[in-house]
Amino acid sequence: MNKTITRPIRSSELKTLSILALCLLVVAGCAKFTKQQSENIAPFSTQTISMIGGLERNLSKSQEIYLRRIDSYVGEEGAPTERIINLQKQVDDMLTAITVYSIQIVTISEQSISENKKANLLADVLEALQEYVLNDPYIKNAVLNEQANQELIAKVRQSEDYLGALRMLSPSINEFSAHAGLVLDELEKERKKLQNIYAEAIDVKYGRALEMEVVLRAIRNRQYDTMIAAVNYRNTHDPAYIDEMRKQAVIHVKKVIKNKKKLSDEELRLIHDITTDRLSTLNEKDKYLSPDIEDYHASHRELQAISDKKEAAIRESRHAFIVWARAYQRMAAGKTDPAEWFDISDSGTLLFGAARRAVF
């Protein structure tokens, strides 16, 4: 039998406990209640680990190709990355916490001790879970009613029925899940804020290239308009098209058409040669400009892809907290079929690998 922790779990211990999670599963299969509603609850921790394990929460810096040095183009205040990093860690810790809690309710049930002692151990674990709500440095409007929960914990410690104690803690589990939702709300706000900041930084980095692209496009358009006017003049001999060419003010073409109301074929040929030569020169300049323009668009695409992945991670994590809380309610209510706890209608494809696309 495993030795159960007999005092509240500190949040600093959760990382170590999560490493032990898979080891505990080896012996979790023997856990059973002895009451009329008794049922093997080991699958609850197994399914929780499967669900949380499906959430890939690490984003390697190597994935950033175009944005690696974008921070240097952010304004003087810099990008406020500290808060989003802390919020991401908070979510990660809370996901670890529900994994540890799920394992602990199984390992407690394994102990050859009285139902009241099991209930007291359960209360210890819940107090550790509540630390994330009561002592959260980032979310001040906690949904947890501290006084009501202290009264609830006291009631749990008096319980002579472990399954009944699990059921009693359902409201606290819901409050924990609701608080996780608030943390995720803040994380989503920070994600949007950072996306806007980095989008502006990309525009700053490639600002000169973008301005030059506009200038070259304007010059190119004048060449096109001059050529079109020359073709129209050749077809109609309408002097209005000479005025149109004059308005475009293309260098050298102005000299050819100066004070002219008629143009010869030789002059039209000269206008054609001037504009095509100028377009050829512009195309050469494009060869130097194109890499920056391509990097500009690639940077925005990469930023959007990373932001989309973070948005998906937030959405999947929110789903995980909700599904887990509902599963807990069903398990504590005495439902005997583990398949009914993490219902496919609630979790969708979450438990079947779809969440692997989500990253923090």
Side-chain angles (χ1 to χ4, degrees), residues 66 202 205-206 209-210 213 216 283-299 301:
Y66 297 96
I202 292 170
K205 179 177 181 179
Y206 296 101
L210 294 173
E213 184 186 37
L216 293 180
N283 288 337
E284 284 297 318
K285 291 181 178 179
D286 271 349
K287 291 181 181 178
Y288 297 101
L289 184 63
S290 291
D292 277 343
I293 300 302
E294 291 171 3
D295 284 354
Y296 166 77
H297 292 295
S299 296
R301 287 194 298 270

Side-chain angles (χ1 to χ4, degrees), residues 29-220:
C30 64
K32 290 181 179 290
F33 289 109
T34 57
K35 298 289 185 181
Q36 183 178 0
Q37 291 179 305
S38 67
E39 184 64 30
N40 185 353
I41 65 167
F44 183 75
S45 61
T46 306
Q47 292 177 348
T48 297
I49 290 173
S50 176
M51 179 175 69
I52 303 305
L55 293 166
E56 177 59 50
R57 301 191 295 277
N58 294 309
L59 177 62
S60 171
K61 283 292 183 183
S62 64
Q63 291 180 265
E64 298 177 3
I65 298 173
Y66 297 96
L67 301 177
R68 284 180 179 173
R69 289 178 291 277
I70 198 63
D71 281 341
S72 60
Y73 295 91
V74 175
E76 294 182 3
E77 295 181 0
T81 55
E82 182 178 356
R83 180 170 172 79
I84 195 170
I85 290 172
N86 288 333
L87 286 168
Q88 288 176 174
K89 183 179 183 302
Q90 179 75 342
V91 173
D92 193 56
D93 286 348
M94 293 182 84
L95 287 168
T96 301
I98 65 174
T99 303
V100 172
Y101 179 83
S102 301
I103 293 169
Q104 285 296 301
I105 64 175
V106 174
T107 56
I108 289 172
S109 72
E110 294 177 347
Q111 304 304 301
S112 299
I113 55 179
S114 70
E115 293 284 296
N116 178 255
K117 287 184 178 179
K118 290 181 181 180
N120 273 271
L121 292 175
L122 180 63
D124 291 342
V125 177
L126 180 70
E127 286 181 338
L129 203 64
Q130 289 177 345
E131 284 185 25
Y132 285 96
V133 181
L134 297 174
N135 301 319
D136 192 326
Y138 312 111
I139 308 298
K140 300 304 181 184
N141 55 332
V143 296
L144 187 68
N145 185 322
E146 186 173 4
Q147 180 178 352
N149 274 274
Q150 288 302 317
E151 294 173 357
L152 176 61
I153 289 175
K155 186 176 180 181
V156 168
R157 292 191 184 282
Q158 296 173 3
S159 176
E160 298 293 340
D161 178 2
Y162 184 50
L163 184 58
L166 285 173
R167 188 179 298 116
M168 270 187 257
L169 294 182
S170 291
S172 293
I173 296 300
N174 283 337
E175 288 176 336
F176 179 85
S177 179
H179 183 78
L182 292 178
V183 177
L184 289 164
D185 287 343
E186 289 299 307
L187 184 56
E188 175 62 9
K189 290 178 184 177
E190 291 298 311
R191 180 197 67 80
K192 290 179 179 178
K193 183 190 300 182
L194 277 182
Q195 182 178 5
N196 290 334
I197 288 173
Y198 283 125
E200 291 178 3
I202 292 170
D203 291 344
V204 169
K205 179 177 181 179
Y206 296 101
R208 295 293 183 270
L210 294 173
E211 290 176 14
M212 180 56 68
E213 184 186 37
V214 171
V215 170
L216 293 180
R217 172 52 58 189
I219 295 172
R220 183 179 281 105

